[in-house]
Each structure stands twice: as structure tokens, then as C-alpha cells.
Amino acid sequence: MPARRDIHSILLIGSGPIVIGQACEFDYSGNQAVTALREEGYRVILVNPNPATVMTTPGSADAIYMDPLEVDYLEDIIRREKPDAILATMGGQTALNLVMDLDAQGVLERHDVRIIGAGIRSIRLAEDRGEFKKLMDSIGLESPRSALVGSPEEGEIRMAEFGLPLIVRPSYTLGGKGGSIAYTAEEAVAAIRHALAESPVHTALVEESLLGWKEFELEVMRDAADNAVVVCSIENVDPMGVHTGDSITVAPVQTLSDREYQRMRTAAIEILRAVGVDCGGSNVQFGINPADGRMVVIEMNPRVSRSSALASKATGFPIARASARLAVGYTLDEVINEITGKTVSSFEPALDYVAVKVPRFELEKFPRGYVTLGTQMKSVGESLALGRTFLEALNKAIRAAEYGFEGLENLPDLEEEQLRQMVRTLHPRRIFAAYTLIARALRTGGDAESGPSVESELQWIHEESGYDPWFLSHLLELARLEAEISVSRGDPGTDLLLQARQAGLTDRRIAALAGIEPSLVTSRRIGAGIRATYHFVDTCAGEFEAKTPYFYSTWGETDEGLPIGPAGVLIIGSGPNRIGQGLEFDTCCTLSSMAYRRRGRSTIIVNSNPETVSTDFNVSDRLYLEPLTAEDILEILEKEKVRDVVVQLGGQTPLNIASTLKKAGFRIVGTEVGRIHDAEDRAKFAKLLDTLDLRQPLNRMAGSEEAVHHAAVEI
């Protein structure tokens, strides 16, 4: 079907300011949608009051409004711009709730504006938890035993029926906001009252606990001709009880049989049909009881989401871009996948690699209660890494999350009971605690006086945490590898070095285990000819040649793609979102790449954040989904033979490695490294202000607790 010509202008609603649970993934999806719609000849009006996004860059849309996302402001814009249609599925929960309000107050009917992407009925069916449960029952799919309540009294009746623990979820909220797990009757009553207050429609779903069940998510697309594809299957490493945004996740799913996966795939497509999503992407979440295989439908989102952005970057399938084209009348078989240039979007991606997402938390900036996870999202960002194995991708993704870990490491400073408490509870560092216990059990060899055996430790962790044995077997594999490096007496051989690199270990981590300097590991590795090799992300497991150079690293395999050469420039991104370093740096990197390309220079972007525009396949000439460490960047520079590096647009992360890159012989574009350090070093900056005879607050530098107290007294 050709694009609709009964509409000429489209109003696209953004997601507003970044909040926990709704981050820059909607800038990415909205930016893709705006670009796709303008390419089809539509006039696009954008409403989004976020100044940090690429979306709101002048010229990105035909008209941009930085007004509040409220009904009165939207009606005024609609009255002025007279759009023919409105697209809300790219702006997260904020946009969906707003279009529902616009419809309820008669604004869309009053101004003859059509809804495209997902209709009001579809949004209501998916977002109203009570209606969604009824719909699942009508098509023969099982949901958790639950009931929609509108008062605390109703909630208490259901609590008596379902028992404890109890899951409480408000209707029409974002990122699980207001949701909680109640373990006692007192907690349940308080949780129900809170959820009713958080819900904009003052209803909440009270449901049976599925704690410990395995959790899965399918990213599904369907068009008006009933073509449907599963773009990506995602498995949570953490079992049910942790919001999927706060869980380490892996794609494709690893622990399902093909029979189980096909049953889930069929169910997901049936759900889209029943809800009526026929113009774009949705994500459907499932829980499976590991004891008996019982499968239940948790929820679905009739819009793009953080998982959609993750799936797009993990597979190379541009979900938002394709969804925008479906919304204006195309079918999946008419939308070309731009990664290959040969396959169409009715072709399901096939991966010959593993993608792992690791959430980033800001534990030190929140009260102690924040370290217990639950049904409400608490992560502020995430990193994505690709590798040939789960272990390689996991270690890379942990490193890319910039917690200060080289990968999955021991927690040596914690006592055994502290580690066991972390495993029992929904702690953000639970996988580190589990790994530490496994490594300790391996080291003691099951000595009755020293500690439990490896087998009993694995069983205990499985029972207490709900981690699938498949994932725990990989933690044991890593522990054995690290133990082998530790006993190499400072001389890990070539085979062991290669094996370690293939498992995602860095030179620094290998050196720490072997008790030698990192530079020695690096020189031995390079001397043995062990260098990173790079593969294309092509959506189809190498069946077709990738048109867009979109890379991930591995070791010991054939390298793909010729180097760009000295004419290129490498731009280092900002990594995962965090408090104090967010979307604004991604906008800077994206716009700089566009500016360089307009001047005829080839650009390479390196970033680990799957939510961002900078990791879109068409922003740069080459894209690397890699951790932002000096070691990883130097390997990419070696492959590409590029000399110029931009570090000043990606926030603090690139600045921290600028000196290392300069020492390695690369040119830092713009302000030289010494001047960067003059500004970053507070003592040097204070001296500079004195030299310039500029006033500044009275200050002192201190390097110890005693010096701090002395300086404080002086000041």
C-alpha cells in the first residue's frame, strides 16, 4: 500500500523532560519518526519541552514547539498548525496519556485530527489493566490472577483472596511508577492506597505474586495487512520481581526451548491482533514458571519503549523508523531494512551474536532504601554490549556501565553473610555477590571447614535468587577461567590470553589476576598477534552483506570491513545516562558528526548507550557499540587507522581518557589535553584565576581528612 495522501501534516508528541523510567530512548524513537515522515513528504510539527534532545534542534522538524505537554497548550498548537493527524506512540507514557486526554476532552474531534499509529481503543485496552486482563481471557491466554480495584477496601478483599506477597500496579503510569511488592498485610494496605493515588484514573491492579518466575519480552511489529514479525526476543537474567528496566537482560532468549519460544511468539502476535495494533511496534512481557512451564501474560505497551530502543540497537532493525512508515499506510513488506538494503521489514532478524544490557544505578545519590529493587524502575540509564558469547557480552556491558568494574568481579571486602543477604534480596549488585560466592567455593574446593562445595553453592544461589542454572553455569565458567589466570604465576600463555579476551576480560583485569602490570599483558598480547576483530551487525546472521558499517568487537576471528583511514575522525560518546551526564552530550556528539559529514569528512562514533540518537545506524559513517575505555578505543583506532579524536563533546567520560590517547600518538581535536586538565584540575584552575586577577570564593586544596578540617577552619 502506498503512503496515505489524505493527510499532509502530522503532529508528533515528544516525551518531555527526562525522568527515571522515561529517558532518551524516546528522543531516539521520535527523531527516527520525524526523519522518516519528512522523507515521505509530510509536514511534521513537533511538541517537546526538552532542550537537551536532538529532536528539538532547529530544523529537525518543520515546526518545533517547546510548550508544556498539557491539553490546553496542545489545543492551541493544533488550532494554529491545523495538523491532519497526531502520532503519540513515539513519546512514551507521557504522550499516550496526553492523547487520551485530548480525545476525552473532544479536542481531536473538534479540530478534525486523526490518530495514527495506535488508536484510542488500542491504547485503552493495553493500558487499562482490568480491560487487558479480560481481553487475554477472551483469546485463551492466561494472566496472573488479579483484579482491578478502585478503593482500599476492594484491595483488602483481593488481598485475602490472592494471599501474600502481593503485587500492586497503578493503571496508566510510567516505568512502574507507584508499583510495589507487599510482603505483609500492612505493606499491602499502604501499597494499594499509594497506587490509587499515583494512577491518573485512580485504579490499581492487585495481582498474585510471580516472584522467582522467569521473565521474557518480545518486541513485535504488525501492519494493517496482518503481517507480523518478532523483531527481538529478550530474556531477563533477574527473575520476576525486578522491573525489566532494572534487570540485566540478554537477547536473544537463552533458556527457552524452541517449542516454548514458538508458543510465546504466537501468543504475542495474537495479543497485538486482539488489542488492534496494526501500525507499528509493541512490546509484550511474559512470565514462565520454571517449575511447571506455566506461561502468563504480564503486560504489553502499544508504543515504542526503552526495550524497543534496546531491540533496535541489538538487532539493527530500526523499529521506530519502520513504525512511523507503517503509521502512514505502508506494510512491512514495503519497508526496506536500511541496514542491509536488501531485506524488507517482514523479515525477522536472526542474530549470530549475543546482546547484553546492564542497567546503571546511582546508589550513592539516593537513600538506603533505594538499593532494594522492585516493580518500580530505579535505573537512570543502561549500557549495551555485543559479543560472540553471553560471557563476553556480559563482561563488556558491565565495563561499559562505568561502575568502576572491569567486568563481573569479586567483591572482596564483603563478609559471607553480607554477600548472602545481597543474593536473597533484590539488590542491584546481586549478580556480583553470586559470582563472589561461586568463586570462593571454587577456591576452597568444598572443604567442610572452609565452606560449601561449588555444587551446593550453585544450588543455594539458584533457590534464593531465582537465577536460571544456565546463567549460573556461565558464572562458574568465568570463575574457573580467572582461577586459571591467577595460578599462571604471572605468565598467562597465548592460549589463555586469547581465551580470557574471548570471555570479555580486559588486559587490566588479566593483569590484576596474574599479579603483573597491565602494560606487560598488553605487550605480550600484541606480540602474540592477539588483536580485537570486528563484525558487522546485519540483522540476518551474515545471510546478506551489511550496507551500513555497524560494528561490535570480538577476538580471534576474521575482521570485517576495511579501515576508513586518516581522513576520518573518531567521536567518543558519553556512555550510559547518569545523574549529571545525560542526553545533552549525545546531542552534541550527534550534531558534530552531522557537521563533519556535511564538510565531507567520514565520522566514526563509539558509544555504549542503546537509548541514544548517536547510536543510530545513519548518524555516522561507522558506529561501534563498545565500552568507552582507553583500551577499547585504542583497538578501534588501530583498526580504522584514524588519527583525529574528538573528546570534548561526550561529557566527562571521554575527557578522562584523553591523556592516554594523546600518549599513544593520536591527535585530540580542539582544545589540547594540557588545557583541558588546567580547567578540570581545581587547584590549577584556582591559580589561573589568581593569575588573571579574577575574584573567586576563598578556597584551599586538601589531600587528607586532617587537611580538610584545617582548611575549613581557615576559610
Side-chain angles (χ1 to χ4, degrees):
M1 297 172 60
R4 292 177 60 169
R5 292 306 166 204
D6 58 329
I7 57 177
H8 305 283
S9 60
I10 299 171
L11 175 64
L12 191 145
I13 305 175
S15 59
I18 294 209
V19 296
I20 293 176
Q22 183 166 284
C24 55
E25 65 270 17
F26 298 109
D27 179 49
Y28 158 68
S29 57
N31 192 73
Q32 275 206 343
V34 169
T35 302
L37 293 174
R38 294 186 80 190
E39 286 173 355
E40 295 298 331
Y42 295 101
R43 184 172 188 269
V44 178
I45 304 110
L46 172 66
V47 187
N48 194 15
N50 189 333
T53 69
V54 177
M55 286 174 73
T56 53
T57 301
S60 64
D62 295 285
I64 299 172
Y65 289 86
M66 305 281 283
D67 289 341
L69 297 176
E70 298 174 4
V71 170
D72 290 344
Y73 287 94
L74 263 290
E75 182 168 19
D76 186 55
I77 293 167
I78 289 171
R79 187 182 297 114
R80 185 180 304 130
E81 294 288 347
K82 296 180 173 52
D84 301 305
I86 188 167
L87 180 62
T89 52
M90 304 295 169
Q93 197 66 46
T94 298
L96 283 191
N97 289 350
L98 182 55
V99 81
M100 293 283 285
D101 291 341
L102 289 169
D103 179 71
Q105 296 184 33
V107 173
L108 303 182
E109 183 179 5
R110 193 155 53 243
H111 297 279
D112 192 26
V113 181
R114 280 151 282 190
I115 299 174
I116 60 174
I120 293 297
R121 176 184 175 275
S122 297
I123 297 171
R124 185 175 290 116
L125 281 173
E127 297 290 327
D128 187 305
R129 297 187 183 275
E131 291 297 316
F132 184 70
K133 177 176 171 54
K134 291 178 186 176
L135 186 65
M136 295 303 97
D137 291 340
S138 72
I139 61 175
L141 292 175
E142 189 177 358
S143 301
R145 289 189 304 139
S146 61
L148 193 70
V149 302
S151 69
E153 293 73 24
E154 287 182 69
E156 291 184 48
I157 293 171
R158 297 302 182 180
M159 176 180 64
E161 179 183 345
F162 300 146
L164 295 168
L166 199 68
I167 310 297
V168 182
R169 306 175 190 271
S171 298
Y172 292 93
T173 61
L174 154 76
K177 182 182 179 184
S180 59
I181 306 169
Y183 295 92
T184 67
E186 292 76 17
E187 288 178 354
V189 171
I192 292 165
R193 291 182 183 276
H194 180 63
L196 292 171
E198 288 287 348
S199 169
V201 294
H202 305 296
T203 63
L205 192 74
V206 176
E207 67 182 27
E208 67 170 316
S209 168
L210 303 181
L211 293 178
W213 287 34
K214 295 161 70 170
E215 186 171 5
F216 301 89
E217 193 167 356
L218 299 187
E219 291 297 323
V220 193
M221 296 195 72
R222 180 172 176 264
D223 64 21
D226 198 31
N227 297 308
V229 293
V230 172
V231 175
C232 187
S233 63
I234 302 172
E235 178 169 0
N236 287 16
V237 174
D238 290 291
M240 290 287 295
V242 175
H243 191 285
T244 186
D246 289 347
S247 176
I248 295 174
T249 62
V250 55
V253 297
Q254 301 294 315
T255 69
L256 287 181
S257 67
D258 185 61
R259 183 183 296 274
E260 289 174 312
Y261 170 72
Q262 294 301 333
R263 178 164 64 112
M264 189 179 291
R265 179 184 181 279
T266 300
I269 293 172
E270 289 297 328
I271 290 168
L272 261 67
R273 288 183 178 130
V275 171
V277 175
D278 58 6
C279 292
S282 301
N283 71 303
V284 188
Q285 295 173 25
F286 296 90
I288 289 187
N289 188 337
D292 58 15
R294 176 189 168 202
M295 183 181 80
V296 299
V297 182
I298 306 300
E299 66 178 3
M300 70 93 68
N301 289 306
R303 55 172 172 81
V304 297
S305 62
R306 183 173 297 189
S307 296
S308 303
L310 174 68
S312 294
K313 305 304 172 64
T315 64
F317 189 111
I319 292 175
R321 194 175 177 86
S323 294
R325 288 198 160 100
L326 298 186
V328 295
Y330 285 105
T331 53
L332 282 165
D333 57 300
E334 295 173 324
V335 178
I336 299 296
N337 184 334
E338 290 150 283
I339 296 293
T340 65
K342 297 176 182 177
T343 57
V344 294
S345 293
S346 54
F347 180 100
E348 287 194 348
L351 309 186
D352 56 358
Y353 52 86
V354 176
V356 171
K357 175 213 83 179
V358 169
R360 180 183 168 89
F361 301 95
E362 299 282 353
L363 303 183
E364 71 281 0
K365 296 178 182 177
F366 288 92
R368 285 184 60 82
Y370 187 83
V371 302
T372 301
L373 302 179
T375 59
Q376 183 170 339
M377 195 190 301
K378 294 181 178 179
S379 61
V380 298
E382 60 190 22
S383 62
L384 175 68
L386 311 183
R388 298 296 274 179
T389 65
F390 169 71
L391 206 50
E392 181 180 31
L394 175 66
N395 274 313
K396 287 173 65 178
I398 290 173
R399 185 161 80 252
E402 299 181 30
Y403 289 133
F405 295 108
E406 292 293 314
L408 186 57
E409 297 181 18
N410 283 296
L411 302 176
D413 298 330
L414 297 183
E415 299 294 332
E416 181 173 330
E417 186 49 43
Q418 292 175 291
L419 295 169
R420 294 194 182 280
Q421 183 62 19
M422 290 171 70
V423 171
R424 291 188 196 102
T425 57
L426 304 178
H427 195 283
R429 299 284 190 272
R430 179 165 56 167
I431 195 170
F432 288 87
Y435 178 67
T436 304
L437 289 172
I438 292 170
R440 287 183 183 179
L442 184 68
R443 189 166 59 250
T444 60
D447 186 323
E449 295 182 2
S450 303
S453 68
V454 172
E455 292 73 19
S456 62
E457 197 70 282
L458 289 171
Q459 183 61 30
W460 182 86
I461 294 170
H462 166 62
E463 291 172 355
E464 293 292 332
S465 69
Y467 284 146
D468 190 273
W470 189 88
F471 294 118
L472 294 179
S473 71
H474 283 74
L475 302 194
L476 177 59
E477 179 186 335
L478 178 62
R480 284 176 171 155
L481 175 61
E482 292 202 336
E484 188 177 352
I485 297 170
S486 296
V487 299
S488 66
R489 300 183 183 277
D491 187 23
T494 301
D495 291 344
L496 189 56
L497 278 176
L498 177 58
Q499 188 180 351
R501 294 306 316 220
Q502 289 175 328
L505 273 63
T506 63
D507 289 352
R508 184 183 295 273
R509 180 61 179 160
I510 296 167
L513 293 166
I516 55 179
E517 288 297 316
S519 58
L520 185 57
V521 175
T522 302
S523 62
R524 287 180 182 175
R525 173 177 60 78
I526 294 174
I530 302 173
R531 303 302 299 252
T533 56
Y534 296 90
H535 289 315
F536 288 115
V537 175
D538 56 16
T539 80
C540 55
E543 187 173 341
F544 297 96
E545 183 179 353
K547 178 182 176 184
T548 303
Y550 179 6
F551 291 103
Y552 69 95
S553 69
T554 189
W555 297 79
E557 300 188 7
T558 302
D559 192 76
E560 298 178 4
L562 296 173
I564 277 184
V569 59
L570 185 140
I571 302 166
I572 305 177
S574 57
N577 277 18
R578 67 207 74 181
I579 294 174
Q581 182 166 302
L583 181 56
E584 62 280 3
F585 297 111
D586 183 66
T587 297
C588 293
C589 292
T590 298
L591 296 182
S592 70
S593 178
M594 293 176 175
Y596 269 120
R597 295 176 84 187
R598 283 196 298 270
R599 297 186 67 84
R601 292 199 65 179
S602 298
T603 61
I604 303 164
I605 284 183
V606 187
N607 204 358
S608 59
N609 191 336
E611 305 170 20
T612 62
V613 178
S614 71
T615 50
D616 201 353
F617 67 93
N618 56 7
V619 165
S620 55
D621 293 283
R622 293 204 168 173
L623 168 66
Y624 286 84
L625 282 170
E626 294 293 309
L628 303 181
T629 70
E631 189 174 301
D632 293 283
I633 298 294
L634 286 171
E635 287 293 330
I636 294 169
L637 288 167
E638 171 63 25
K639 176 207 165 49
E640 292 290 358
K641 310 301 180 189
V642 166
R643 309 309 303 170
D644 290 353
V645 185
V646 176
V647 300
Q648 296 168 48
L649 302 177
Q652 194 63 45
T653 299
L655 293 181
N656 291 342
I657 62 175
S659 293
T660 304
L661 299 180
K662 181 182 178 183
K663 287 177 183 176
F666 297 96
R667 188 171 80 92
I668 304 302
V669 175
T671 306
E672 65 179 58
V673 173
R675 302 289 76 79
I676 292 173
H677 289 319
D678 286 346
E680 293 287 318
D681 186 307
R682 295 185 184 278
K684 289 183 178 180
F685 188 68
K687 288 180 180 178
L688 174 64
L689 295 182
D690 287 338
T691 302
L692 297 173
D693 198 24
L694 294 172
R695 289 182 296 175
Q696 60 181 307
L698 186 62
N699 60 75
R700 299 283 189 277
M701 294 303 294
S704 67
E705 187 174 344
E706 183 182 355
V708 168
H709 285 295
H710 183 70
V713 170
E714 283 189 357
I715 292 173

